[in-house]
Each structure stands twice: as C-alpha cells, then as structure tokens.
C-alpha cells in the first residue's frame, strides 16, 4: 500500500509503465480515468438485438469528458518541460479540460472557441477555471489553424490532440475496457470529430495486442519504446460515426462548412485524418454518418430508457451501433462497446429545447399535485 492508502489517484499512476512520463515528473491529475463500463439492457431488448452492448461512461471524468485522459498526460509533460502556459482550439470539451488541468498545475491557459457554437456548460467551465477565452469569428478548424501557428512562435504549449501526449493518455481507455471485460470487444463504436480519440483507442488496443514497438505497428513503425508482451491476440473492429453535416471521413476529404447540432463534433478538417483512416482500415472497420434527428433521438432514449445522460455527440456512437446491429453489419452474438464521450449536463440548452412542454405548471395545492400524479399513473 502506498502513502495514499491505495486509493485511486488517476490514470498516470495506474498505467504509468505504459506512458511516456518521467519517473520524477510532478503528476498533474484530477483523478481521471477508471470510468464505469455499463451494460445496456432496455435499448438492446427494444431493438430485438442479440448482442452484449456496453457503454464506457467517459462523461464521469472530472471535467465531464474523455478529454481529461489526454490532458493529464499533456499537462504533466508541459509542466515537466517548464511550460508556463497551454493553448488549444476547441469545440468545448478540450477547452474545459485544458482550463481545469492548467488550474491544477498553476499555469495559464488560452482557449480559442468558435463563435456561438459552444455548449453552455463547457463555456462555464473554461471561464470558471480561469482560462483566457478567445472567441473567434470562425469555426473549430479555423481555430485549430490559428493555435498551430501561434504555438510555433509564442511561449505556449499546444494541447490539442496533435500533441502526442494527449493521444498517449487517451489510449488508456482501451486498456480499461479490456481489463474490465477480461477480453477484447468484437466492435468498438465511437464518435469521430478531430479523430484523436479513434487514433488513441487503436493505439491502446494495438499495444495490448503486442503490436506497438514492432515494425508492424503502423503508428510508430517500431520506434516506440513501449514494447510489451501481448495481453491478448485480438483487436476490435473500429466503427467511427460522424454527423451527416460534418462527415469528412465519408467524403474522403475536408468539409469546409461543417454543421451539426452535436457541436462537439462540428469539425470539417480532422487533424488525425490519416491515422484514423489507417485505424479503420487496419481493423476492418468503417465510418458511417447519422442525421441530427437520429443523434437527438438516441440521446433522449439513452436518458429515458437507460438512465444515462450523455451529450449529443456521444449518443451518435450508440445510434450508429444499433443501426449497424439492426442491419447485420455488426453480427448477432457480438460484444460491442460504445464510448459515451461527454456528459449530458454539458449542453443543457439542447436538452431543455428537446423536452419543451414536459414541465407542468400547476397550482401550489395538494389536490393539484395529486391530480398530476393520478393522471400520469392511469
Ligand atoms: C463529447 O473539445 O474536438 O474525434 O475541441 O467533445 O477525438 O475529436 C471535442 C471532440 C466526441 C470527438 N465527443 O473526438 C474539442 C473536441 C465529444 C467531444 C468528440 C469530441 P475526437
């Protein structure tokens, strides 16, 4: 037992041997990782499907999204390099995580966000944690271009997923899934925006399959130092889902004006495009697109039928998985994991709009309350 009495202290400590963090580094952590892997029952039964379907609840990370996994490693490394400030462009979640981990580290954060297209909860987080919030008259892709140029000149560390330490942290979600299931899932389904996460999962699964550090590893071609004996000999098929209005992977090229209600994945020019394409091909997987209606329907069904409240961008993974299960593309008997990337409370506006009319205005009298109950239970 260590000085912390063995309590969980974050993913760097848990997976330290597989992460590029110096032994004497000051670890910047908020206790991220170790998120639940929940089995869905009602939605599977509703669909008449014969699969084991799990959701990885990444919205239960400290800032409410999977971005914390990458940020703990990226900010730990930035501090180890004596960086005094970090910068990112973001559709919201990266900025929330960057702001929080910078606060924890005692350094400055600068975040570029697209005008008017960021969920309220995410903006509140960046502001509350003391980030300098720069709202640009442009979209995420324009912001990404700007921060790459700025970080090349100014004394700030870029913490978008082009920073390889981000990807290293995010790969740990794949480890957790295999560790929790005691096996590799047959299919892994997730939303794809800037494409860092699908890249990270594939690296994590590949590492557990003993591919990393070998010439066969498409990502490092044998240069990465984390050559481990395989934990398993299998890897899942990777299924990436995009909003129909922001689907560069289906077009095969960048989309100039991406639009979707799922603002988190309103991205037209993904920075990890080629890595994600390689992961998809190598795994025998595919990309598919869903409409905004499909996304919002599934967000609501997850909330109503399973008690799981995720943000719209996250629901796309389950919408896509169930559609592909229904068509047989994902065969019966499969073990399927979907990543629910962010918490539903991030975007209260969308949820409240969606549920308009669900609040009953009644008089402040016992009879009125009782009538409302009896009406509903009839
Ligand atoms: C909830 O915060 O890009 O394909 O700037 O917030 O790894 O980009 C967010 C992305 C999925 C897509 N789900 O992941 C940002 C940002 C949620 C997200 C994605 C994002 P990537």
């Amino acid at each position: 037992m260590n000085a912390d009495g063995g309590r969980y202290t974050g993913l760097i400590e848990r997976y330290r041997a597989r992460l590029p963090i110096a032994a004497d580094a000051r670890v910047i952590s908020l206790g991220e990782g170790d998120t639940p892997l929940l089995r869905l029952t009602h939605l599977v039964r509703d669909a008449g499907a014969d699969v084991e379907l799990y959701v990885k609840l990444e919205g239960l990370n400290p800032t409410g999204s999977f971005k914390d996994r990458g940020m703990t490693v990226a900010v730990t490394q930035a501090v180890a390099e004596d960086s005094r400030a970090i910068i990112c462009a973001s559709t919201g979640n990266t900025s929330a995580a960057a702001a929080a981990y910078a606060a924890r580290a005692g350094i400055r954060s600068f975040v570029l966000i697209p005008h008017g297209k960021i969920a309220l909860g995410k903006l509140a987080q960046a502001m509350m944690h003391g980030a300098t919030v720069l709202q640009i008259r442009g979209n995420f892709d324009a912001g990404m271009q700007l921060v790459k140029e700025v970080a090349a000149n100014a004394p700030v560390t870029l913490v978008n997923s082009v920073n390889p330490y981000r990807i290293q942290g995010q790969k740990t979600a794949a480890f957790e899934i295999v560790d929790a299931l005691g096996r590799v899932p047959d299919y892994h389904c997730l939303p794809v925006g800037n494409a860092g996460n699908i890249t990270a999962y594939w690296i994590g699964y590949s590492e557990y399959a003993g591919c990393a550090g070998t010439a066969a590893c498409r990502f490092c071609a044998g240069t990465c130092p984390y050559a481990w004996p395989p934990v398993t000999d299998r890897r899942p098929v990777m299924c990436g889902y995009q909003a129909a209005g922001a689907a560069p992977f289906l077009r095969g090229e960048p989309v100039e004006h991406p639009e979707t209600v799922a603002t988190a994945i309103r991205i037209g020019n993904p920075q990890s495009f080629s890595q994600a394409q390689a992961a998809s091909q190598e795994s025998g997987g595919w990309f598919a697109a869903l409409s905004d209606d499909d996304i919002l329907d599934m967000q609501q069904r997850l909330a109503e039928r399973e008690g799981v409240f995720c943000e719209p961008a996250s629901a796309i993974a389950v919408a896509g998985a169930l559609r592909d299960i229904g068509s047989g593309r994902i065969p019966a008997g499969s073990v399927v994991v979907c990543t629910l990337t962010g918490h539903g409370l991030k975007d209260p506006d969308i949820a409240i709009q969606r549920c308009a009319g669900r609040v009953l205005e009644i008089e402040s009298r016992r009879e009125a309350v009782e009538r409302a109950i009896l009406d509903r239970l009839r």
Side-chain angles (χ1 to χ4, degrees):
M1 204 172 274
N2 60 27
D4 288 317
R7 78 192 164 90
Y8 183 80
T9 56
L11 62 84
I12 290 182
E13 290 308 335
R14 171 172 287 186
Y15 292 110
R16 186 179 261 278
R18 289 180 179 273
L19 293 169
I21 292 296
D24 60 352
R26 178 183 150 221
V27 172
I28 310 300
S29 172
L30 290 164
E32 60 296 308
D34 197 27
T35 55
L37 188 66
L38 191 72
R39 185 158 176 190
L40 297 186
T41 52
H42 299 294
L43 288 190
V44 177
R45 211 179 308 136
D46 293 351
D50 171 28
V51 292
E52 266 181 54
L53 182 58
Y54 297 88
V55 284
K56 179 82 169 149
L57 297 183
E58 290 289 277
L60 297 194
N61 276 299
T63 78
S65 89
F66 72 99
K67 303 288 183 184
D68 295 345
R69 290 185 186 276
M71 211 53 78
T72 182
V73 178
V75 174
T76 294
Q77 180 63 21
V79 168
E81 291 169 4
D82 291 327
S83 177
R84 288 172 47 236
I86 58 176
I87 191 168
C88 65
S90 180
T91 57
N93 279 325
T94 301
S95 64
Y101 282 81
R104 183 81 173 164
I107 62 176
R108 301 290 300 267
S109 62
F110 300 89
V111 305
L112 267 72
I113 57 169
H115 187 80
K117 296 283 184 177
I118 170 171
L120 207 61
K122 303 172 187 180
L123 181 59
Q125 288 176 291
M127 292 169 69
M128 197 71 186
H129 289 301
T132 301
V133 180
L134 306 169
Q135 191 163 62
I136 59 166
R137 278 184 212 91
N139 63 18
F140 169 84
D141 302 302
M144 193 64 233
Q145 205 49 49
L146 283 170
V147 293
K148 282 200 287 189
E149 287 167 21
V150 169
N153 298 302
V156 289
T157 302
L158 182 59
V159 294
N160 281 104
S161 57
V162 292
N163 178 330
Y165 291 92
R166 279 278 312 279
I167 303 284
Q168 286 293 312
Q170 284 173 211
K171 76 181 180 183
T172 61
F175 298 163
E176 288 181 15
I177 289 166
V178 178
D179 291 346
L181 284 178
R183 57 161 288 173
V184 175
D186 298 312
Y187 293 83
H188 189 109
C189 304
L190 77 174
V192 176
N194 209 24
N197 214 25
I198 189 171
T199 300
Y201 270 96
W202 189 241
I203 290 176
Y205 283 125
S206 297
E207 206 174 303
Y208 259 25
C211 306
T214 71
C217 174
R218 193 181 287 261
F219 298 99
C220 73
T223 58
C224 126
Y226 313 108
W228 283 75
V231 174
T232 163
D233 59 1
R234 297 191 51 253
R235 292 185 287 179
V237 174
M238 302 298 295
C239 309
Y241 298 102
Q242 300 216 279
F249 284 98
L250 288 123
R251 288 235 198 134
E253 61 180 17
V255 172
E256 201 175 340
H257 298 293
E259 277 306 340
T260 168
V261 68
T263 53
I265 51 173
R266 186 171 166 270
I267 295 172
N269 187 15
Q271 296 298 304
S272 299
F273 194 89
S274 60
Q275 295 95 318
Q277 265 189 330
S280 177
Q281 280 165 15
E282 209 172 307
S283 77
W286 58 83
F287 295 101
L290 289 103
S291 70
D292 281 3
D293 280 345
D294 290 341
I295 292 170
L296 293 178
D297 279 347
M298 187 53 71
Q299 185 198 17
Q300 197 161 4
R301 283 174 61 200
L302 278 163
E304 287 185 0
R305 297 286 289 145
E306 299 281 2
V308 172
F309 188 21
C310 66
E311 62 177 289
S314 308
I316 199 173
V318 180
L322 281 173
R323 190 174 71 186
D324 287 335
I325 289 163
S327 74
R329 198 172 192 186
I330 294 177
S334 298
V335 173
V336 183
V337 173
C338 296
T339 305
L340 294 188
T341 45
H343 201 287
L345 290 173
K346 291 273 191 175
D347 200 345
D349 290 337
I350 293 283
I352 289 171
Q353 273 171 33
R354 181 87 184 158
C355 297
R358 284 201 171 178
V359 176
L360 305 180
E361 293 275 353
I362 62 164
E363 281 174 57
S364 174
R365 286 175 28 237
R366 199 189 86 190
E367 295 75 16
V369 177
E370 286 176 353
R371 196 179 324 123
I373 292 170
L374 292 176
D375 281 353
R376 296 276 143 162
L377 292 180
R378 247 205 320 256

